[in-house]
Each structure stands twice: as C-alpha cells, then as structure tokens.
Amino acid sequence: MSNRRLPLVSTEVPGPRSRRLIGELQEYESPAITARQRARASRGYHDAPIVWQRASGMLVEDVDGNTFLDFTAGFGVATTGHGHPRVLERATLQLATLNHAMGDAFPAAKKVELAKKLAAITPGALQRSLFGSAGFEAVEAAVKTALIKTGKPRVLVFDGAYHGLGFGALALSGYRDRFRAPFLAQLNPHVLREPYPYCYRCPYGLERASCGLACLETLRRRLAHPASGMEEIGAILIEPIQGRGGVVEAPLDYLRGLREIADERGIALIADEIFSGFGRCGAWFAVERAGIVPDLLCVGKGMTGGFPISAAIGTDDVMAGWGDSLGEALHTSTFLGNPLGCEMALATIEVLEELVPEGVLERGRALRAGLEELGERFPIIGEVRGAGLMLGLELVRDRETREPADREALGLCKLLLQRGVILLPAGIHGNVLSFTPPFIVDEEQIGYLLEVLSTVLADRAWA
Ligand SMILES: Cc1ncc(COP(=O)(O)O)c(C=O)c1O
C-alpha cells in the first residue's frame, strides 16, 4: 500500500467484509452511531459505510483490500497525512517511554514542551494552554475560562456553528436543531444565538458587495439595547470558518468588528479553530488572516494527525481568571496533557512547519482552480469557497433560487466512494461537498479527484 498514490477499488463498495462488520456493529454498538445498511439500488449505491483497516498518507485501505483517497483527512485530523513516518517514529518511542502521566498532579515533561510550542506558534499574547482530549472539551474549557474571568454568564454563539456534542458544547452548537431537541431540558439556557455571516445565504437578504456588513451593525444595535440581556454576555464564541456548517467563511472585517465589540464591552472573544487551525486555512490560524488575536483559541483535530488531544489557549490576562491552583485543580481530566498526545503534537507541528503556509496555499490553489472550472461547467455548483485546503462546493437545484441540493450531495459522495474517493457532505442543508485533504495531497491525486467528480457530475445517476 505504501507505494500507491492513487486508489484501487476491486470489490463492490462497501465490500462483503465491510458489510459483515457493519452488520455486527449494528448488534453491539448504540444504534445512534453507524448508519444502518440499506440497499439503494435505484440510486446506484449501497447505503453502508466502508470499514477502515489501515491508512498511509492520502490513502486509506478498507477491510476488503480496496484503497481510497481520503479528501476529508479523517474529519480534518490527518493534516500531515495518515501515519506520517516521523510522527509514527516519535510516537512509538514515546509509547515505550511514558504513555500516561497525571495531568494536573504529576505532569509529563512533554506537556511543558508542547505548552511552550503552542505559545510560540499561536498569534499575539496567546500563551497559556488548558489541555483536554476531544475538541468539545477545549470549547467547554474556553467558555468556563470566559465565565470565571468576566463573571458574566451569557455566551453569544452563531447559527450553523458546530462546537461538539458534550452537554456544554451542544448548547453552544447551532448546527442541527435535532441534535439539541431531545436534551433541551438540560441544556445551558444562557446562550444567545446570532445569524452567522453566511454571505451566500445572507440572513438579511443582502449582497456582500453592497451590504456594508449590516449584520455587524445589527449585532452592535442589539448589544446596545438595554432590555436585551446582552450586558450579561461574557463570551463571544465563533468559528472564523465554519467547517461542519458548510465551509462558510466569516468576512475578515466581520471578525475585526467582533474583536472591537469584545474590547468595548469587556467580553472574551473565543475563536474555535478546531477545524480551521494548524494551517488548514493556509495560515497557521484563521484569525491571523483577519489580523486579530482572540482572548481564547480552541484547537484539536489536526494538531496530532490522529490522537485525541485538544487545548484552549488563552492570554495571561484571561487565564488569570482561574486564580492559582491550590493543589486540587478547578478544571482537569484524567488524560490532561497525555505525553503520547503531546509528543505526537510536537512531531506533527515539526512536519507542519515544512508545509504551512506555502505548501497548503499552493495545493489549495490547484484544488480550487479545478473546482472553479467544474463550477463553470455544472450549474448544480452554486458556489466554490473556502481558504487553503478547507474548500467547499455548495450544490443547488437552481442558481437563481439557490434551493439546496442536499440529496444530490449525499448521492454524489456515495458514488465518489465507489470510485475510490472519500468525501463528506457538510452544511446546515447538507448540500456542501467539503474538501479538507491532508496537506501532502499531490497534483496527480487532485487531478484524479477532479476527473471522477467531473464524471459523476456529468452522469446524473445520483440525482
Ligand atoms: C469547529 C469545531 N469545534 C469543535 C468540534 C468538536 O470536536 P470533537 O468532535 O473532537 O469533540 C468540531 C468537530 O468537528 C469542530 O469542527
């Protein structure tokens, strides 16, 4: 497998071994997790996932021996490619040396090294890390930090935002009402939701070229209204580029405006860069494209290439809100600053230093140019957007009405899988194809993707 650069599919997809294992999962896993198997012969695909066996670089091999190009980087995690040799080598050594310590009580030396490194690569005065495992923990740690610093309970969040599904993060996420609906009775009520500046579907019905960022002005007015409860806002939480929400970029002036509002009102600005961070957007962090520094930056996913470690990184000032530890930390967890995760992050960052920003920008330009060319040929493509290697195609049934083509997006992903390309639909309407490959994707692999995408777009079997 290590010599392959292009995929090879030699069974039906999913193959017999994948289907058998998925069948077993359906007996032993919560039914909430893996899609049920359904034959969709009429649409030309079988509605079940493939089961992964191994992965290397851009390629994933399933249990049936088929190989696929992973244009998702495994939910945006494998920034340096699956199993980067240098990361593997250092991880193996670390595993044999120390693979667990006692986070807040007896920390690992590797945690010190990673905290220093994060302070060095993050913008401005971001300096102090609060580590966690999953991304949602970083978001919850950041929001706790904002509350303990400002004493103000409310959090301003955005429609379409995805911050994870732990109880705290779920209340802050706006991505799907049905994710929250069964749990509303237990969700934090101190959350205020604003429309995200999703310019292709402007919530105010305006055009970006002439809107003058009316959305920001509306937010300013709302904040100034005495009866709005807005004076109790201690945190504004935003993804500078929404990932799962459909690769939607907030205008850079909007982000600058939020920074000003936060400064004027003593609010902590939290940037959730769990998806966009670590070079994915063509800068180390998306906030740098706007030239702003948040009070807290949430990171996870691409930091290690494949180990659950995350962090909320804050300024000295905002982190001082916690006060000094009295020996029993107010916020910690069993695996906080796990040494294996820290070493994998350090090794990954070392590799990323060779790829960010030039490598990401160059490959991102090549992929984007190909997607734009498809956009000229196929009217179903309403918009091509994104930054670096975080790109999206929004599919619409009609370019005038912009009616979302959601079923089509899912059908396309299934057909692409049969041709050896792993891709996922995203977006609040599920009609965005999101391209977030490892940063080592090469020209030939981009060419392969564009060719099969063009073929399946031309053959409307998925519609
Ligand atoms: C922007 C953002 N924040 C938070 C999360 C949650 O991360 P996790 O699934 O690791 O909890 C995600 C996951 O997709 C994300 O994209």
Side-chain angles (χ1 to χ4, degrees), residues 75 133-137 139 162-165 239 241 243-244 272-276 301:
F75 296 138
S133 298
F136 80 84
E137 293 175 46
V139 172
Y162 187 78
H163 301 293
L165 300 183
E239 289 162 275
I241 305 176
R244 196 162 176 186
D272 178 350
E273 296 230 31
I274 286 164
F275 213 140
S276 56
K301 284 195 190 281

Side-chain angles (χ1 to χ4, degrees), residues 90-91 94-115 118 129-134 137 303-304 306-311 332-347:
R90 285 176 57 175
Q94 186 62 43
L95 192 58
T97 312
L98 180 73
N99 74 345
H100 176 65
M102 294 175 66
D104 58 310
F106 301 111
K110 286 291 169 192
K111 184 174 81 167
V112 186
E113 217 182 306
L114 180 59
L118 291 177
S129 288
L130 217 174
F131 289 106
S133 298
E137 293 175 46
M303 176 155 68
T304 60
F307 187 92
I309 185 165
S310 64
T332 186
S333 55
T334 303
F335 296 103
L336 183 146
N338 171 279
L340 179 56
C342 289
E343 178 65 351
M344 283 180 69
L346 286 161

Side-chain angles (χ1 to χ4, degrees), residues 339-371:
L340 179 56
C342 289
E343 178 65 351
M344 283 180 69
L346 286 161
T348 299
I349 292 168
E350 191 185 285
V351 178
L352 289 178
E353 279 168 341
E354 296 160 15
L355 294 166
V356 178
E358 286 82 9
V360 175
L361 289 170
E362 194 190 310
R363 291 166 170 95
R365 272 193 296 270
L367 179 53
R368 187 179 187 124
L371 295 176

